Amino acid sequence: MGKTIQIQPVTRIEGHARVVIQLDDAGEVNDTRVHVMALRGFEKFAEGRPVEEMPRIVNRICGICPWNHHLASVKATDKVFGVELPPTAVKLRRMAQHLAWIPDKLLHFYFLAAPDFVIGPDADPSVRNVIGIVGAAPDLARKVVHLRQKGAMLLEDWLGKVIHPVAAVTGGFSTPLAAAIQQRIIEETKEQLEFAQFTIKFAKENVFPKYLDTVKILGNFDSGFLGTVTADGTWDIYDGKLRLMKRDGSYDDFTYEQYSDYLEEHVEGWSYVKMPYAKKWGEGFSMDLAAPKGIYRANCLARINVCDRMPTPLAQKELEEFRAAFGRPAQFTLLYHWARLIELVANCEMALQLAQDPAILSKDVRAQVTPKAGRGVGCVEAPRGTLIHDYTGDGEGFITNANLIVGSTHNQAPINMSVNAAAKALIHGGVVNQGLLNKVEMAVRAYDP
Amino acid sequence: MAVRVVSEWLSSCSGCEISILNLGDVILDLIPAKLQLVHIPALVDSKYFGPNGDGTHLTLPECEVGIISGGVRNEEQKEVALELRKKCKFLIALGTCATNGGIPAQANAWDNADVLNKVFKGSITTPPAETPTQVVPKLLDRVYALDEIPGLKVDIYLPGCPPHPDWIAAAILALLDGKTEFKLPERSVCDTCQVIREKKAAGGANIKRSLTNATFEAEEPIQKMRCLMEQGFLCLGPVTLAGCAGKEGNPRCIDARMPCRGCFGPIKKTSNPLVDMMGALTSVGINPQSVPDRRLILNRFIGAHNKLRPLPQRPGMPGPR
Ligand code: SF4
Ligand code: SF4
Ligand code: SF4
C-alpha cells in the first residue's frame, strides 16, 4: 500500500473540504478525492414554512452569496403565488444583485487568489495570504480593504442588512429607493468601476502573463458549461433562460421550470454534496479525465463562455479580447480568475446604469400578494454558479416541497477532476511538499467563489 | 508578544467570517504586531494534518484566542471544536449558530433519517441513493450549540447572524487589554429601535404575514415609522438581544422596513423567548395564536439547547408547524 496524503482544511476557499491523494508503491498518484464533509438539509426544514419566509431563511445557505440565495428564493416565491412585479421592484432587486457582487469579486481576487500569484505558489505558507499581500503592496491592499468595505457599507446603509439581507420580498421590494441613497450609489459605483478597470489592467499586465504556463497545465480537462443569458443571448446574472453548452460549443437553451429535464444529481458514497451533471446529453456521469461524461462547469468562466455578448461596452471589449486569446468555450481552469474580473467590470457598469435610470425612484415597489397553491422555480447566478430554488406550496401558502441546486455543487465533479489532473501532473516518485500541495489546492481555489 | 488567534468554522455559512473581514482597518492596524492569525481556513494556509498532509491526527496550533463559528452537527466538527478548546486560553463562540444553533438547528424539529432521506431519496433531480458513509463524518443526532458539548466551555458569546464587527472588535480589544470577560449589553432590539410606539395594535387583532409592505414614507427617517409589531407584523424585537447595528444605530431589518426575526438570539441565557413573545403580542392587543408556523418561527435561530425537537406529525401537515 502506498501513502495517503490529506489536505484539510482546503484553505482560502469559502467552505469546508478535504482533499485525499492516494499514492501507489512507486509514489505515483493512484486516485484523488475531494470530500465535502458537511450537510445541513435546508430542503427538509423548508417544509411547512410560510412561503414568503423562505428568502429570509435560505440566505443562510451561504454567507458569501446570501444576496443570490435571497433573490433566487424570492423569485421562486413570486411564482408560487403567481404575482407580477412592478418594474421598479425588478430594477431594485437587480441593482442589489450587481452591487453585492462587487465586494465579493475584490475579496476573491486580491485576498484569496492573489497570494498564489503575487506571493508565489511555493512561498512560505505563513506569508502566502492576505497579510503577505499587505506586506508586499501595502497601499494597494489598503485600497482594496477600503473599497470592499465601502461596497458592503453602501448596501447596508441602503438596505439594512448586507449579510443575510431581507429587502427582497414576495411580490417586490420592502422599500423604495430614497433619492439621497441613489446619489451615493451613483458616486460610489463610479469609483468602483474605475478600480475595476485598474484591476483587470493590472492583472493582464502583471499577473496573468507570468502564469500562462501554469494556466496551461494546472487542473485542465474539457467540459461543458452552464449559465444564464437573456432572451437574445446576452450575459445576465438576475434573470433570463439557462444555457447548457457542450464541450464542442453547441448549446441548448431552456426555461427554469425545465431544469429537471436537463440536470440530474449524482451521489458518491464519499461526499455529502451531490454532483449535478447534464442528464440531457444521455451519456450518464463519469469523472474519468480521458472520457468525462455529463460533466459541465458553472461560475464565471461558464457564464463568459455561454454568453453571446456582454451587456455593457467596457465588459464587451474585455470579452472580445479574452475570446480572441482563448476561443469559445475557453477550457483552462485558471482562466476562471480572468473571467471573474470581466464580470467585475460588468457588474459595476450594470449597477451604474440601473442607479441612473429615473424609474428606479418609483414608489411602486410591491404587488398585491395572495397565498395560493402552486409551484415556482427561481434562478439567479451566484458567483459560484447558477442557483435553482424550486418550491411547491399548499393552498394556505406553506411549503410542501423544496428542491435546491446551489451554485457550488455544479462544480463538485469538475473540482474533483481538476484536483485529479493537477495531482497527477505535479506529484511523482513520492515527492510531496507544501508548495506542490498548494498547487493542487489552486485547482480548487480557481472555482471559488 | 502578539496574541495568536485560531479560528474555525463548523456547521456554518461563512457569514461570520465575512463579518471578521468587515473589521477592515481595525484588524489591519493590529496585524501582525499585536494580533497574529495563525489558523483561519478562509484566509491562511494552516492544515490539520501538517503542511505535507502526512500527519495522522487532526491538530490545531496553540493559541491565546480561539474563535468558533457554526454549531456542531457532526463527529468531525465536534473533534475540531474540542481540539481548539484544548489549544486556546479563551474560546469565543462567534455567531448565533455557535451560541444557539442558528438556522441549521431548524433541522432539530426532524429526525436525522427524515433529513437524510429528503436529501438523498426525496429530490426530483436525484435518483434515490444511500446516505454517503465513506470518509464523511457521521452526523450527531441533532445540531448542538457549542456549550452543549461536554468539555466545550465557552468564555465569550458573540451572537448574531452574523455578529456585528463592532462586537468582534470590542471582544478582541478587551482580550488584548488583559480582560477575561466580554458581554454584549443586555438590552432588547426594541430598546434600540427608534420607531414610534403607542403600545397598542394599529392593524387589528391578528398577525399579518409578510405579504404586504409596512406603512411608511420612503424619504422619511425611521423615527417617523410606526412600530412594525403595532402595525400587525410579527417582529421579534421584544425578545431579541440588541446589537445587530453595532454599538449604536437602529436595528438592521427595521431599517429595511422589515420585522426582526430574532437573529441575535435571546436577551439572557435564562429567558424564554417563546413565552415572552406571546406576552408582548398580547400586551399590544394581538392574538398570539394567530402567528403562523409559531413553533419554528419563534425558534428560528435558537433551535439548539433542546428548544426544537421532533414532534409526532399531525396528519395532512407537511411538516412541524
Ligand atoms: S451565525 Fe449566521 S452568519 Fe454566522 S455561520 Fe451561522 S448562519 Fe452564518
Ligand atoms: S417590535 Fe420591532 S418595530 Fe417595534 S419597536 Fe420592537 S423592534 Fe422596533
Ligand atoms: S433586526 Fe432582528 S433579525 Fe434583523 S438583524 Fe437585528 S436582530 Fe437580526
Side-chain angles (χ1 to χ4, degrees):
Chain A
M1 256 289 274
K3 210 163 109 179
T4 303
I5 299 158
Q6 304 188 72
I7 313 178
Q8 194 187 7
V10 177
T11 43
R12 285 183 283 127
I13 64 161
E14 292 138 356
H16 314 61
R18 172 189 291 189
V19 171
V20 176
I21 303 170
Q22 199 71 52
L23 302 185
D24 62 18
D25 291 337
E28 296 299 304
V29 174
N30 189 4
D31 199 9
T32 63
R33 278 175 183 176
V34 182
H35 305 273
V36 170
M37 313 292 269
L39 179 145
R40 290 170 296 168
F42 278 80
E43 293 94 334
K44 189 67 206 178
F45 58 76
E47 286 176 9
R49 309 291 68 69
V51 171
E52 71 278 7
E53 292 291 326
M54 291 299 286
R56 301 190 69 169
I57 297 174
V58 293
N59 40 16
R60 269 76 182 185
I61 291 172
C62 175
I64 313 295
C65 61
W67 273 100
N68 311 121
H69 283 288
H70 187 58
L71 292 169
S73 174
V74 82
K75 285 173 72 181
T77 70
D78 296 336
K79 287 192 190 161
V80 171
F81 291 156
V83 259
E84 278 297 319
L85 266 60
T88 297
V90 177
K91 289 183 206 278
L92 290 169
R93 287 182 185 179
R94 220 178 225 292
M95 188 162 76
Q97 161 84 325
H98 290 297
L99 287 175
W101 275 44
I102 299 169
D104 183 71
K105 301 257 176 205
L106 292 179
L107 166 71
H108 185 275
F109 179 72
Y110 283 103
F111 293 160
L112 305 186
D116 292 323
F117 297 105
V118 177
I119 312 286
D122 309 303
D124 178 345
S126 69
V127 296
R128 190 180 56 215
N129 52 44
V130 51
I131 299 132
I133 297 275
V134 174
D139 295 340
L140 182 56
R142 285 258 175 195
K143 175 135 199 190
V144 176
V145 168
H146 282 151
L147 279 179
R148 212 205 120 259
Q149 203 170 9
K150 216 166 153 183
M153 287 314 118
L154 177 64
L155 269 173
E156 185 159 313
D157 291 344
W158 173 26
L159 295 170
K161 227 163 137 66
V162 53
I163 307 177
H164 303 320
V166 295
V169 288
T170 308
F173 217 63
S174 71
T175 172
L177 180 65
I181 294 282
Q182 180 201 24
Q183 283 317 310
R184 253 186 77 191
I185 295 175
I186 294 174
E187 266 159 46
E188 293 184 18
T189 307
K190 282 184 183 157
E191 189 185 0
Q192 297 283 6
L193 176 57
E194 213 169 280
F195 190 66
Q197 287 174 268
F198 162 81
T199 300
I200 194 164
K201 186 158 177 279
F202 172 81
K204 285 192 298 192
E205 284 170 5
N206 303 300
V207 182
F208 298 147
K210 279 195 271 178
Y211 292 93
L212 273 181
D213 293 337
T214 317
V215 167
K216 287 180 185 140
I217 58 148
L218 201 93
N220 291 322
F221 62 94
D222 285 356
S223 75
F225 293 97
L226 174 74
T228 301
V229 291
T230 62
D232 75 351
T234 306
W235 176 94
D236 203 291
I237 58 171
Y238 177 74
D239 204 23
K241 56 187 176 182
L242 300 180
R243 177 170 284 179
L244 181 62
M245 181 177 266
K246 291 200 178 126
R247 290 179 279 276
D248 65 7
S250 64
Y251 55 76
D252 288 317
D253 290 350
F254 54 98
T255 65
Y256 296 168
E257 289 71 23
Q258 290 171 305
Y259 80 99
S260 54
D261 299 336
Y262 285 81
L263 310 178
E264 194 160 82
E265 295 174 288
H266 173 82
V267 178
E268 288 283 358
W270 42 264
S271 186
Y272 277 134
V273 75
K274 300 192 271 190
M275 301 176 181
Y277 66 99
K279 167 169 99 173
K280 190 71 176 178
W281 298 344
E283 57 187 32
F285 173 88
S286 169
M287 295 192 281
D288 182 352
L289 280 172
K293 291 197 171 77
I295 303 294
Y296 67 85
R297 292 187 272 185
N299 192 326
C300 49
L301 183 61
R303 290 184 290 260
I304 290 296
N305 277 331
V306 301
C307 74
D308 298 330
R309 69 191 72 80
M310 297 302 286
T312 49
L314 295 173
Q316 173 62 18
K317 261 182 68 195
E318 294 296 338
L319 177 71
E320 286 164 17
E321 184 182 337
F322 181 87
R323 264 197 192 154
F326 306 105
R328 178 190 187 193
Q331 292 282 6
F332 295 138
T333 297
L334 290 188
L335 290 179
Y336 269 94
H337 295 297
W338 193 319
R340 193 168 284 121
L341 296 183
I342 301 177
E343 289 196 326
L344 171 65
V345 174
N347 277 300
C348 296
E349 288 181 282
M350 287 293 281
L352 191 56
Q353 263 182 22
L354 284 157
Q356 288 170 328
D357 180 345
I360 199 94
L361 288 177
S362 163
K363 301 278 182 280
D364 180 15
V365 297
R366 191 151 190 197
Q368 176 77 34
V369 180
T370 320
K372 65 179 178 76
R375 178 173 168 209
V377 183
C379 299
V380 299
E381 289 291 324
R384 280 178 177 155
T386 315
L387 306 185
I388 303 173
H389 286 238
D390 174 2
Y391 306 154
T392 307
D394 65 15
E396 294 168 72
F398 292 85
I399 299 279
T400 54
N401 188 38
N403 194 42
L404 306 172
I405 298 185
V406 309
S408 51
T409 69
H410 296 290
N411 281 341
Q412 273 314 306
I415 287 173
N416 265 281
M417 294 169 68
S418 282
V419 162
N420 195 297
K424 283 187 171 144
L426 293 165
I427 299 176
H428 297 289
V431 179
V432 175
N433 58 53
Q434 68 83 16
L436 283 179
L437 295 183
N438 183 52
K439 284 189 186 158
V440 173
E441 277 186 79
M442 282 169 68
V444 182
R445 234 165 258 146
Y447 294 94
D448 185 275
Chain B
M1 202 184 86
V3 164
R4 292 166 300 177
V5 176
V6 169
S7 167
E8 264 292 345
W9 43 16
L10 309 179
S11 186
S12 65
C13 81
S14 327
C16 284
E17 283 66 28
I18 298 291
S19 238
I20 297 182
L21 281 178
N22 284 349
L23 285 167
D25 275 340
V26 178
I27 197 153
L28 280 187
D29 292 343
L30 292 174
I31 287 171
K34 292 196 167 151
L35 203 69
Q36 223 185 324
L37 302 175
V38 287
H39 175 102
I40 167 165
L43 292 176
V44 173
D45 300 336
S46 153
K47 310 291 181 186
Y48 299 155
F49 304 101
N52 296 332
D54 48 7
T56 48
H57 287 88
L58 190 158
T59 312
L60 286 170
E62 298 274 348
C63 60
E64 283 72 39
V65 180
I67 302 178
I68 297 181
S69 71
V72 187
R73 201 345 160 198
N74 67 39
E75 295 287 355
E76 185 190 64
Q77 290 162 353
K78 187 168 153 184
E79 187 183 350
V80 170
L82 288 170
E83 165 70 5
L84 181 47
R85 178 67 271 190
K86 264 201 318 223
K87 296 292 174 67
C88 71
K89 295 206 174 71
F90 292 99
L91 183 65
I92 301 179
L94 182 70
T96 308
C97 290
T99 60
N100 297 82
I103 291 266
Q106 292 270 289
N108 286 356
W110 288 265
D111 289 323
N112 278 351
D114 280 348
V115 175
L116 293 166
N117 281 339
K118 174 69 193 172
V119 174
F120 295 109
K121 292 191 165 68
S123 151
I124 59 159
T125 39
T126 312
E130 290 310 313
T131 297
T133 51
Q134 304 161 38
V135 183
V136 296
K138 216 170 145 348
L139 298 187
L140 302 183
D141 60 332
R142 59 179 175 88
V143 179
Y144 290 82
L146 299 186
D147 62 8
E148 289 185 274
I149 303 290
L152 197 55
K153 182 176 163 285
V154 171
D155 300 299
I156 293 178
Y157 292 84
L158 294 180
C161 183
H164 194 282
D166 279 4
W167 304 118
I168 306 176
I172 290 176
L173 292 173
L175 290 175
L176 287 179
D177 235 23
K179 301 207 176 69
T180 57
E181 277 184 5
F182 178 81
K183 235 178 154 183
L184 265 67
E186 280 180 2
R187 301 175 289 178
S188 75
V189 168
C190 291
D191 290 338
T192 61
C193 185
Q194 298 165 31
V195 297
I196 301 167
R197 267 165 291 187
E198 295 177 7
K199 302 212 165 17
K200 57 176 191 290
N206 285 333
I207 280 291
K208 283 195 270 194
R209 285 166 63 175
S210 286
L211 299 169
T212 50
N213 277 355
T215 304
F216 63 92
E217 283 299 324
E219 302 286 344
E220 280 184 0
I222 201 78
Q223 291 82 354
K224 297 268 160 105
M225 182 174 81
R226 182 78 182 269
C227 164
L228 295 173
M229 184 171 67
E230 294 181 6
Q231 289 196 36
F233 296 100
L234 179 73
C235 184
L236 296 192
V239 297
T240 302
L241 183 68
C244 58
K247 290 195 166 161
E248 50 201 80
N250 206 57
R252 304 289 12 163
C253 299
I254 316 300
D255 263 4
R257 320 284 175 162
M258 287 293 285
C260 174
R261 283 289 176 268
C263 84
F264 265 61
I267 300 160
K268 289 186 190 152
K269 248 194 128 163
T270 50
S271 45
N272 189 339
L274 202 124
V275 173
D276 297 345
M277 191 63 218
M278 297 301 192
L281 288 168
T282 312
S283 77
V284 296
I286 292 173
N287 171 15
Q289 302 303 323
S290 68
V291 176
D293 193 24
R294 206 162 60 234
R295 192 165 71 101
L296 267 77
I297 217 169
L298 296 181
N299 286 303
R300 181 168 290 175
F301 290 91
I302 55 175
H305 300 110
N306 270 317
K307 286 247 168 25
L308 281 177
R309 55 178 114 200
L311 288 184
Q313 276 198 30
R314 277 185 284 152
M317 288 297 233
R321 261 200 217 160

